[in-house]
Amino acid sequence: MIKNTLFLDALKGKEVQRPPVWMMRQAGRFLPEFRAMRDQYDFFTRCQTPELAAEITLMPIQRFPLDAAILFSDILVIPQAMGMPFEMKESVGPFLANPIASKEDVDRLQNAPVEESLDYVFKAISITKELLKNEIPLIGFAGSPWTIFCYAVEGKGSKTFDRAKAFAFKNTELAHILLQKITDYTIEYLLKKVEYGVDAVQIFDSWGGLLSPKDYEEFSWKYINQIVEALAEKAPVIVFGKGCWFALDAMSKSKASALGVDWTITPQKAREFSGGKITLQGNFDPAKLLSSPQKIYDEAQQMVREFGVRNYIANLGHGILPNIPLENAASFVKAIVEYKA
């Protein structure tokens, strides 16, 4: 039995004394021990070596009194397993030399059982669970099908993903075939993660906010919802769509246990748009962690006052930035842990 159930209680809508807290990308580049390991091993070596992934997962837990751990991995392990050889290039980020551009490219994608192609992830879960000693829950995650589609077609990161959007609008039928393939593989992957012991899963829709509400429904939400439907009976599902406040109403009517929100919406509007009942997660602007520790503490507590303690998980509105001082991250976590209604 997990000793600290605060995070899982919040996902179930139970009454809690204070909100649980964790930070997206908490096992990341702002930690000096992470940077030291980065100097020894490249990014995907760290993802694909279970012992290293487990060690990185625990780094923030050893520093801060967080209420959940999130498995160190990457959303691109799924397209890699499907036959897209993504690399992580210095000063470029994710890079695919031959992006998806034709029906032949889509037809060539592999469908090997996830337990074979992504066994290193499941081994990392087993090792991490052992190291956590049931102290706190472990979150597993995947990228949304649309977000994976964006990288697969664009071939690298982009502010606008024009190439990916053009592909979706011009080759709509093929786009849906690709999105469905990614969805099916993601479902298989997340179900296996739950089988190996993750206590909840999060779907990251990093690029959904680039779509209009109508296009979001067609190219992103309907695929995310398939994942939610397949997982909801097995584990709580958190859906985080960056810039997707317009979809909160539709999301709240799904079987998701919680919805992540970014800093571009007020807590009051987030509650209003999501119907006021579902658990919300977020939404501290990661850049605000560059202000003074006292200001961070005060504003984080104000955030909790505005969201309310119940049906709420304190978090950032996106991943923590690499230049955040440790004491500032500590101040954010402390503000939540010390919150008194």
Side-chain angles (χ1 to χ4, degrees):
M1 288 291 290
I2 291 168
K3 294 168 193 169
N4 175 352
T5 61
L6 204 55
F7 172 74
L8 297 175
D9 289 344
L11 287 173
K12 291 172 188 165
K14 290 186 178 179
E15 200 163 326
V16 291
Q17 294 304 304
R18 67 161 177 89
V21 58
W22 68 281
M23 298 180 289
M24 286 188 274
R25 286 201 200 126
Q26 64 190 23
R29 294 170 291 174
F30 80 109
L31 295 173
E33 53 271 41
F34 180 92
R35 291 196 297 270
M37 189 182 281
R38 181 188 61 188
D39 293 340
Q40 290 180 273
Y41 307 96
D42 70 58
F43 181 78
F44 283 117
T45 298
R46 280 172 275 149
C47 289
Q48 293 164 4
T49 308
E51 295 77 11
L52 294 180
E55 187 181 338
I56 294 168
T57 302
L58 265 74
M59 284 176 179
I61 310 307
Q62 288 153 352
R63 277 194 179 268
F64 312 111
L66 296 158
D67 297 303
I70 183 163
L71 187 76
F72 177 74
S73 186
D74 194 79
I75 64 170
L76 297 176
V77 299
I78 284 183
Q80 282 178 332
M82 293 175 74
M84 296 177 241
F86 271 97
E87 309 164 60
M88 198 63 76
K89 280 199 166 184
E90 195 66 43
S91 73
V92 175
F95 181 76
L96 182 63
N98 297 300
I100 300 288
S102 66
K103 185 177 185 298
E104 290 71 33
D105 293 337
V106 174
D107 290 343
R108 260 197 304 272
L109 293 176
Q110 296 158 18
N111 191 26
V114 291
E115 204 157 10
E116 291 173 18
S117 52
L118 291 162
D119 65 314
Y120 58 86
V121 176
F122 310 122
K123 285 175 183 167
I125 293 170
S126 300
I127 297 167
T128 304
K129 289 289 285 185
E130 203 172 313
L131 292 171
L132 283 172
K133 298 185 172 70
N134 284 327
E135 292 291 336
I136 56 174
L138 178 63
I139 305 165
F141 70 90
S144 73
W146 168 255
T147 290
I148 300 301
F149 174 97
C150 281
Y151 285 111
V153 176
E154 198 83 22
K156 59 185 178 182
S158 165
K159 287 194 171 108
T160 56
F161 283 97
D162 292 338
R163 182 173 175 170
K165 288 174 74 175
F167 186 100
F169 299 150
K170 289 200 298 195
N171 306 291
T172 303
E173 191 178 334
L174 186 58
H176 283 302
I177 292 168
L178 176 54
L179 284 161
Q180 190 61 56
K181 281 194 172 195
I182 296 166
T183 301
D184 293 344
Y185 211 72
T186 302
I187 288 169
E188 194 185 339
Y189 174 64
L190 288 176
L191 284 171
K192 194 59 71 174
K193 274 188 161 179
V194 172
E195 196 181 304
Y196 271 81
V198 301
D199 302 287
V201 298
Q202 176 155 314
I203 302 164
F204 285 89
D205 194 9
S206 303
W207 304 117
L210 297 176
L211 293 166
S212 72
K214 176 176 171 288
D215 293 327
Y216 186 76
E217 172 63 38
E218 179 177 356
F219 293 106
S220 188
W221 174 246
K222 81 175 188 184
Y223 294 103
I224 291 173
N225 197 39
Q226 284 184 44
I227 300 169
V228 174
E229 289 280 333
L231 267 291
E233 302 302 315
K234 307 283 186 182
V237 183
I238 304 166
V239 177
F240 171 66
K242 187 169 182 288
C244 299
W245 55 267
F246 56 80
L248 286 172
D249 178 48
M251 290 175 173
S252 69
K253 294 179 172 73
S254 72
K255 291 180 182 174
S257 293
L259 305 177
V261 289
D262 65 24
W263 63 91
T264 61
I265 187 169
T266 64
Q268 294 83 354
K269 285 292 181 191
R271 288 283 183 213
E272 182 188 328
F273 293 172
S274 61
K277 292 176 185 169
I278 194 166
T279 295
L280 296 178
Q281 176 179 278
N283 69 336
F284 203 81
D285 184 343
K288 274 208 169 163
L289 293 180
L290 290 165
S291 46
S292 71
Q294 187 58 53
K295 186 176 183 186
I296 293 163
Y297 186 95
D298 294 342
E299 293 215 12
Q301 290 219 328
Q302 178 63 24
M303 177 179 73
V304 179
R305 279 191 287 276
E306 291 186 35
F307 273 105
V309 170
R310 192 162 185 172
N311 293 99
Y312 178 56
I313 297 163
N315 206 318
L316 307 176
H318 201 231
I320 192 165
L321 301 167
N323 56 337
I324 301 300
L326 289 175
E327 61 269 26
N328 292 18
S331 187
F332 174 77
V333 177
K334 187 169 185 265
I336 312 303
V337 171
E338 293 182 354
Y339 185 83
K340 287 181 175 59

